């Protein structure tokens, strides 16, 4: 698509300074200011996520952020990144990624942003671009294309309805869809799932909660299970030891050990499910700021008042067990244990996300524990 010369005042700059990074982080809040379902991420968290000093993703990835400006005003942003750990889908194909896409509802803004990202990736030998990944497939993924009428849960994105059209105008097509399922804590799980869990745990199967006294070891066990369970999933990229440590540090302030359950088979860790309190519910009115009083409000809402919703971002069963009779039942037992505990603690709804559209086993589980598909996020691709 040729660039519209009437937008000659539109330009792109690579983010290099701390001030430009702050502008990059702040832009989506302004663009979505009139959306009642928009929740501004905490600026402090975003600064850490986009800094090589604090995010170990940068140890195996190259990242460039871009800002689009018009007349001295920021009007769009995008990231381009190459993750050296990402497996390539076909011989001779080299994927790069885009992410963090946001812009005014203007085709020229999206055009100049994608041109900058694609040129950067092409110069580094990439043959295809896939995204959005913010920044990794193990973080926020996909562009919201359906389900705009509710706010996002913790570590999930929210985009304006026009964004999908603007991305597709630049030649991007669907690579995969990922789903979010919503479930009500107060209702009974479907009868088919009840019949399965009422049979009870067979010999050799034990369910237990997270042990905070062995927290670092538990986080490593969780990561080992998920790296093994998800190995054959589309786009799978393993989590490194450094990323595991960072994940554990980041989650320690918000997790509730009573909502994280491990399953063991014959004494070996075999599966895990994680319910996370929906921090977005607690920060919705903080406008991204923790100071001077936001941090106290956040802690009070999480630890004292309590939030009423949760998200299940992580669940998996090791492949050596997943095809066995006991292993096939682990998701239902773990979900039942976590759900019952959440309900006793005052949670009344939760989200299962994200789930690959092509992962029929997981979509089946989500539906059989009472989940209703209510959001779709799209991952796009384009040949360079």
């Amino acid at each position: 698509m040729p660039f519209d010369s009437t937008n000659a005042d539109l330009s792109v700059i690579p983010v290099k300074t701390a001030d430009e990074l702050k502008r990059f982080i702040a832009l989506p809040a302004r663009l979505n200011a009139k959306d009642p379902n928009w929740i501004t991420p905490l600026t402090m968290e975003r600064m850490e996520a986009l800094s090589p000093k604090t995010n170990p993703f940068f140890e195996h990835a190259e990242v460039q952020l871009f800002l689009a400006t018009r007349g001295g005003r920021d009007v769009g942003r995008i990231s381009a990144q190459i993750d050296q750990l990402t497996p390539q889908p076909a011989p001779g194909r080299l994927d790069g990624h885009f992410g963090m896409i946001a812009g005014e509802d203007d085709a020229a803004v999206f055009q100049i942003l994608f041109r900058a990202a694609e040129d950067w990736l092409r110069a580094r030998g990439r043959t295809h671009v896939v995204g959005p990944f913010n920044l990794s497939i193990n973080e926020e993924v996909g562009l919201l294309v359906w389900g705009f009428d509710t706010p996002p849960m913790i570590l999930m994105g929210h985009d304006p309805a026009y964004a999908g059209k603007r991305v597709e105008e630049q030649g991007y097509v669907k690579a995969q869809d990922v789903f979010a399922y919503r479930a009500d804590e107060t209702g009974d799980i479907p009868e088919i799932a009840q019949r399965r869990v009422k049979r009870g745990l067979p010999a050799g199967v034990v369910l237990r909660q997270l042990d905070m006294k062995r927290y670092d070891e538990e986080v490593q066990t969780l990561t080992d299970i998920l790296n093994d369970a998800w190995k054959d999933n589309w786009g799978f990229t393993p989590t490194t030891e450094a990323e595991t440590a960072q994940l554990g540090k980041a989650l320690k302030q918000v997790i509730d050990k009573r909502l994280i359950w491990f399953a063991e088979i014959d004494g070996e860790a075999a599966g895990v499910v994680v319910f996370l309190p929906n921090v977005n519910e607690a920060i919705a009115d903080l406008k991204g700021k923790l100071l001077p009083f936001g941090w106290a409000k956040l802690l009070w809402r999480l630890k004292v008042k309590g939030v009423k919703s949760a998200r299940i971002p992580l669940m998996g069963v090791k492949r050596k067990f997943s095809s066995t009779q006991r292993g096939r039942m682990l998701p239902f037992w773990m979900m039942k244990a976590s759900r019952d505990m959440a309900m006793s603690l005052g949670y009344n709804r939760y989200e299962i996300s994200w789930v690959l559209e092509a992962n029929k086993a997981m979509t089946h589980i989500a539906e059989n524990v009472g989940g209703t598909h209510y959001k779709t996020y799209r991952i796009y691709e384009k040949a360079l």
Side-chain angles (χ1 to χ4, degrees), residues 94-349:
L94 291 174
D95 284 358
H97 299 149
F98 78 89
M100 306 281 181
I101 182 65
E104 294 184 352
D105 188 9
D106 183 336
V109 170
F110 281 78
Q111 180 187 15
I112 199 171
L113 285 169
F114 276 103
R115 185 170 67 181
E118 291 166 9
D119 286 348
W120 186 89
L121 291 168
R122 194 179 292 110
R124 286 156 180 79
R126 301 296 104 172
T127 63
H128 292 74
V129 56
V130 183
F133 296 154
N134 306 333
L135 293 163
S136 160
I137 195 171
N138 295 320
E139 301 175 59
E140 290 182 12
V141 307
L143 188 83
L144 184 67
V145 295
W146 180 74
F148 303 97
D149 56 344
T150 53
M153 290 227 180
I154 178 174
L155 302 177
M156 293 293 283
H158 186 78
D159 303 286
Y162 63 77
K165 175 185 176 182
R166 295 304 184 196
V167 171
E168 290 164 12
E169 287 174 343
Q170 303 308 313
Y172 285 80
V173 297
K174 170 185 168 181
Q176 294 282 334
D177 277 351
V178 299
F179 298 156
Y181 291 83
R182 179 174 53 196
D184 184 352
E185 290 283 6
T186 61
D188 287 334
I189 61 176
E191 181 61 29
I192 185 172
Q194 289 188 47
R195 290 198 304 268
R196 290 174 175 175
V197 298
K198 283 180 179 179
R199 295 171 189 168
L201 295 173
V205 176
V206 173
L207 298 183
R208 64 172 182 83
Q209 293 174 341
L210 174 77
D211 184 352
M212 290 299 292
K213 294 180 180 179
R214 300 186 298 116
Y215 182 73
D216 291 343
E217 182 182 340
E218 293 281 71
V219 172
Q220 185 60 60
T221 299
L222 178 152
T223 307
D224 291 343
I225 292 172
L226 297 176
N227 276 343
D228 180 84
W230 297 350
K231 187 174 182 179
D232 293 331
N233 285 353
W234 178 90
F236 168 78
T237 302
T239 301
T240 67
E241 185 175 340
E243 288 172 313
T244 295
Q246 177 65 17
L247 173 67
K249 179 182 177 182
L251 293 182
K252 197 169 187 177
Q253 301 303 316
V254 299
I255 64 170
D256 186 329
K257 68 177 183 179
R258 297 168 294 181
L259 299 179
I260 300 177
W261 287 75
F262 289 91
E264 297 176 350
I265 294 181
D266 300 332
E268 180 181 345
V272 67
V273 63
V274 175
F275 272 62
L276 286 182
N278 180 27
V279 173
N280 279 6
E281 190 179 328
I283 69 171
D285 62 346
L286 299 184
K287 301 185 185 302
K289 299 178 181 179
L290 282 178
L291 299 174
F293 304 113
W295 183 242
K297 288 181 180 179
L298 177 59
L299 287 178
W300 184 78
R301 291 168 182 175
L302 288 174
K303 304 298 184 182
V304 181
K305 182 181 179 181
V307 297
K308 301 300 182 183
S309 58
R311 177 182 168 226
I312 304 176
L314 304 171
M315 182 169 69
V317 175
K318 284 183 179 177
R319 290 178 298 157
K320 65 182 288 186
F321 297 113
S322 62
S323 61
T324 68
Q325 184 174 358
R326 291 184 295 178
R328 284 193 294 268
M329 286 300 300
L330 288 188
F332 296 99
W333 287 318
M334 294 188 298
M335 288 282 291
K336 171 67 172 173
S338 299
R339 175 191 172 278
D340 288 352
M341 180 59 70
M343 189 162 55
S344 73
L345 295 172
Y347 292 87
N348 57 31
R349 64 190 184 282

